[in-house]
Amino acid sequence: MCGIVGYIGNRQAAPILIDGLARLEYRGYDSAGIAVFDDGRQDLEIVKAKGRLSELSERLNGRRLSSVVGLGHTRWATHGRPSDANAHPHCDCSGAVVVVHNGIIENYLELKEDLIARGHSFRSETDTEVIAHLIEEFLKESYDMETAFRRAVRRLQGSFAIGAICKSEPEKLFAVRNESPLIIGIGSGENFIASDIPAVLSYTRDVQILNDGEFCVVTKSGVIISDIDGALVNKDVMKIQWDAKGAEKAGYPHFMLKEIHEQPRAVKDTLSGRIDRKTGDVVLNEISLTDQQIKAISKINIVACGTAYHAGLVGRHLIENLARIPVEVSLASEFRYADPMIDESMLTIVISQSGETADTLAAIREAKAKACRVLAITNVVGSSVARESDDVIYTWAGPEIAVASTKAYTTQLVTLVLLAIYLGRRRGLVSLEEAKRLTDELQRLPGNLQKVIADNEENIRRYAKLLRDCESVFYIGRGLDYAVSQEGQLKLKEISYIHAEALAAGELKHGTLALCVEGVPVIALVTQKKTREKTRSNIKEVKARDATVIALARESDHEIAGEVDYVLWLPDMDDMLMPTMLVVPTQLLAYYTAVERGCDVDKPRNLAKSVTVE
Ligand code: AGP
């Protein structure tokens, strides 16, 4: 995710900004930049570069920027590819207002059109640049910078943390937070703003954390915080005890746990701007297929590896259910050598968090060689998968650092729900009412994910002790529950090194039931209404053999509690949305089991985050 650093004080700002950005590098980024108010020239100077911070430092080399106030940013591309022009900071037409921003401005297109009509010209493809031009508009009306900033922010929809500086008031930093983190570092004769605590830890341990809707005006001698209506806010100063490494993980012991907890936010970001606020319909402007082409699709091939492949298994159910297009899901490593029977009447969907997986890239080339159009779902803007595909839908999970994929998977699932509704709508099979019902449910997902974690984490810690010394764990389910079982078993295997296997519950008595003996843990996923009774029968089969059953069930499914050893509860939602919640307890179970076994959770043995070789 992007990083923000702002400085105001008596020292040279540029090296402090670069140092702060370096401490946010762990968040991932594809370009970086700084803006400083150069006291000598009485002007704002912006220096930015695509690539690593070293590229930016190289551009700064030899430049004598004498400045004690500035803003810095590392960008993880969402709107617009990684490039010098799209890197932050961004400025207005006159160069008098400079902003940096994390998050997504959902209504930026309509704002941009309006600003262009008023004569503004844009230099980037980003959503962020509209903020600088909006402020410029209000400054023209003779407001001071704080009022212009507030008025501009009032026009924005979406999630954001914004830092701004203005040539006419160079002794102030302006900032606001709405659903994207922002902190203030309190120094002596100097102050900071940042998107995360590590950025300021070398300079101060005194920090204030802004809440949603709070603004601040920061000078070198003080900070004034106010709420959305301008009322002053008194805020405690926290003393940070963590070291820099701990702070990168926001106090979590591992990136994986942090990323599991980030899922409500990641899902919200991925949905952002993709549901029409008025009609409730799905908006996927990134798809260039015409309605005619969508109606003519004879078959969809979903191709991916590992966790992304498991997301594809869920996607198959969703697309077949809503858009009535036959779907085949293939492992990319198999697909590329199978001489697949595909042609121009079909659509290939590739899914990849990193966008750099070698087998997935080979699958794209195979599909294109057979004249089959490729739609990619990926988390990395400008990645090889994105560049080589015909259309791209980005998941906005932010960088995933732990090798075990968590928030990438849940954001892939919500993207697939959106896509399935979209295809169903274009094919005339999903009514607007039905689309609205589903998108209303989708909007409830972030809150429900929060609840799943809050309600179950403590119990899962205890159940992990049961799994700690097991040789094998089985996951059973049917339909969508089976698809999620496959992701659950992979999670356990890859980080705890316990053998695990997912089974379509109906297959048990065709062989594996022989292994379900006293004390063997069976994780039973039973959220799908259509197959609930059948899975309950399978649970009885394993219980009759004295296996230990942990069920993952709907809150309303009271009967289950009496039939199994332990239950993890999930809020009731439409069957198609259950997988996104259902996977979370399986992630936590794998995580706490691995911790119990003393495994290196974030970097499991023999595995790499991005598999760029065959
Ligand atoms: C899952 O936890 C793994 N990290 C792995 O299976 C991963 O999903 C797979 O290698 C595919 O990676 P991609 O999504 O970056 O293409």
Side-chain angles (χ1 to χ4, degrees), residues 341-520:
M341 292 171 58
I342 54 175
D343 59 43
E344 69 281 359
S345 71
M346 300 177 188
L347 174 69
T348 295
I349 299 178
V350 294
I351 309 175
S352 173
Q353 186 284 129
S354 63
E356 300 298 343
T357 302
D359 284 325
T360 309
L361 276 167
I364 295 176
R365 291 167 197 155
E366 177 69 19
K368 293 189 93 173
K370 291 186 165 157
C372 186
R373 212 182 154 90
V374 178
L375 165 68
I377 296 176
T378 182
N379 196 35
V380 182
V381 176
S383 57
S384 307
V385 161
R387 280 185 277 113
E388 294 198 22
S389 301
D390 299 299
D391 294 299
V392 187
I393 309 179
Y394 288 109
T395 51
W396 288 328
E400 196 179 57
I401 294 165
V403 166
S405 195
T406 52
K407 59 179 181 169
Y409 176 78
T410 37
T411 53
Q412 284 159 1
L413 294 196
V414 296
T415 305
L416 286 160
V417 177
L418 290 169
L419 180 63
I421 301 172
Y422 182 85
L423 295 175
R425 293 277 299 134
R426 301 275 92 68
R427 288 167 71 89
L429 297 171
V430 174
S431 67
L432 182 58
E433 286 94 313
E434 177 60 357
K436 183 171 179 339
R437 187 188 66 76
L438 287 167
T439 55
D440 283 351
E441 286 261 287
L442 274 171
Q443 317 251 39
R444 288 173 47 221
L445 250 181
N448 279 350
L449 286 168
Q450 204 100 50
K451 185 168 171 1
V452 171
I453 297 171
D455 290 356
N456 294 301
E457 192 162 9
E458 250 340 282
N459 282 336
I460 291 172
R461 268 172 192 264
R462 290 196 289 118
Y463 304 159
K465 294 191 196 314
L466 297 172
L467 264 53
R468 181 180 52 203
D469 300 316
C470 290
E471 276 185 13
S472 253
V473 177
F474 295 99
Y475 290 71
I476 60 168
R478 287 170 182 256
L480 282 170
D481 288 335
Y482 172 46
V484 179
S485 299
Q486 298 183 65
E487 174 57 9
Q489 59 87 32
L490 175 67
K491 237 34 357 143
L492 187 70
K493 268 196 302 225
E494 70 176 327
I495 58 168
S496 77
Y497 316 144
I498 296 175
H499 170 256
E501 198 176 326
L503 290 161
E507 271 295 295
L508 267 173
K509 47 177 150 338
H510 297 287
T512 311
L513 196 55
L515 298 177
C516 296
V517 292
E518 190 177 347
V520 168

Side-chain angles (χ1 to χ4, degrees), residues 7-11 185-192 203-206 219-222:
Y7 174 79
I8 188 157
N10 295 315
R11 295 193 259 178
I186 314 286
S188 154
E190 60 184 3
N191 289 307
F192 306 78
Y203 308 99
T204 178
R205 292 191 162 263
D206 293 336
T219 62
K220 66 180 182 183
S221 53

